[in-house]
Amino acid sequence: MPQHRWPANVELVASSWMAEGARPAADAGPCPIPIERRVAAAVAAGFAGIGLNRADYEALIAQHGAAGLARVLGDGGVRHVELETVTGWWNDDPDGTCWRAAYDAMLSFCAHFPVRQIKLNGEFSAVPASIESMRAGFVRLAESAAQAGTIAALEPVAFSNVRNAATARLIVANSAGHGGGVMLDCWHFARRGIAPDDLGGLTGAEICGVEISNIAPDIVGSLFEDTVDHRRLPDEGVYDVAAFLRAVGDAGYAGPIGCEVLSIRLREMPIEAAMQTAADSARRTLNAVAMVRT
């Protein structure tokens, strides 16, 4: 079988928290760095897309309006955005105060700018929702996403009730390719001790996005602190990120690669240096990966 490398022109996406130079938190506010500067830094570093978290997105819409934000992104050279994150979506929300209003607001931006996907997380409480209720809720979100021209992307997270690709696949089920998909972040594989090639049976048609970073040999602080403060660059940790990329490529995924290096180290840099450092590491990692395809 011939060997292939990831194409040199594969698109990179700067994840929301990294692109904002911000520490993820439940009560996070809008990013203090002007969106114009963030866009310029990401594009100059070679990112084709950027992410916006919920609070930041809502603040930018209030400041610029949807059409205005779309102009800032497009004029700056951004090709697409990812919006995040929505949780609680398996619950009924008749008055729209829990999650529906936020999700609908994100969907509405699709009319103004290419929204590649909207990230969804599972539950973080001690008494999680059932897989059945989550599957039913996901169907509704995927249908809405398909109508808007985007994807509802469910991301397994190491400390949620959706901890691995196999669980995410059960929830997404028949919605894959019909407005729904699974977003794979190799950090959550690494910290759960999941082998790089254990994709839970996912095919390329079911995978809608991929993110890379790396880990230190041991957890630093709590698992949450390690998640948001101490990730390593893709080519600087102990996890076999190349094997992970090879596995998703062999499964048939050939879309953009997100870079989500949440670390104090990057946050202490000017946003321009942080974006360039992350992009260079991602490119080195991708250039080193040889994939076998039939």
Side-chain angles (χ1 to χ4, degrees):
M1 293 182 291
Q3 288 193 342
H4 300 274
R5 292 185 183 273
W6 283 89
N9 62 348
V10 63
E11 291 187 335
L12 295 178
V13 179
S15 72
S16 67
W17 297 107
M18 191 183 78
E20 294 166 22
R23 186 180 195 267
D27 58 350
C31 178
I33 303 172
I35 184 62
E36 294 85 356
R37 182 181 172 191
R38 285 183 273 156
V39 164
V43 172
F47 289 103
I50 65 169
L52 298 173
N53 76 56
R54 175 173 167 179
D56 191 45
Y57 168 72
E58 291 172 350
L60 289 170
I61 292 294
Q63 179 183 1
H64 297 279
L69 177 58
R71 281 194 298 272
V72 171
L73 295 169
D75 290 350
V78 173
R79 296 176 195 159
H80 47 79
V81 296
E82 295 179 352
L83 303 178
E84 64 174 291
T85 182
V86 177
T87 189
W89 40 268
W90 50 88
N91 295 314
D92 290 333
D93 187 18
D95 58 4
T97 58
C98 178
W99 58 266
R100 172 59 72 179
Y103 186 67
D104 287 348
M106 292 179 184
L107 288 176
S108 69
F109 194 53
C110 297
H112 302 274
F113 196 79
V115 177
R116 188 169 177 274
Q117 56 193 15
I118 298 174
K119 284 190 194 179
L120 311 176
N121 285 157
E123 188 160 23
F124 301 95
S125 71
V127 184
S130 69
I131 297 300
E132 292 74 19
S133 65
M134 296 184 82
R135 185 187 297 119
F138 190 86
V139 167
R140 295 190 291 270
L141 269 65
E143 289 174 348
S144 297
Q147 292 171 5
T150 188
I151 300 170
L154 179 59
E155 179 182 6
V157 173
F159 41 87
S160 78
N161 70 324
V162 185
R163 298 181 180 181
N164 53 47
T167 303
R169 190 182 190 215
L170 287 174
I171 294 168
V172 171
N174 293 333
S175 294
H178 303 283
V182 179
M183 175 79 182
L184 298 178
D185 180 343
C186 75
W187 192 94
H188 295 288
F189 278 60
R191 274 297 180 236
R192 291 288 300 174
I194 299 171
D197 60 352
D198 184 0
L199 304 184
L202 288 169
T203 66
E206 294 169 307
I207 301 169
C208 64
V210 169
E211 289 180 333
I212 57 174
S213 62
N214 216 315
I215 61 171
D218 299 306
I219 294 174
V220 181
S222 68
L223 183 58
F224 179 77
E225 289 168 338
D226 196 53
T227 306
V228 302
D229 289 333
H230 301 290
R231 296 194 192 195
R232 299 284 184 88
L233 292 167
D235 65 338
E236 291 187 357
V238 298
Y239 196 64
D240 194 344
V241 178
F244 170 79
L245 288 170
R246 192 174 299 116
V248 297
D250 287 345
Y253 179 78
I257 302 296
C259 191
E260 188 172 47
V261 183
L262 309 180
S263 74
I264 295 171
R265 173 188 171 190
L266 289 191
R267 290 197 291 269
E268 289 178 341
M269 296 180 185
I271 193 68
E272 293 81 4
M275 291 296 96
Q276 194 65 62
T277 298
D280 289 347
S281 177
R283 286 289 178 199
R284 287 193 299 269
T285 304
L286 285 162
N287 290 340
V289 177
M291 293 189 309
V292 178
R293 289 187 179 177
T294 57

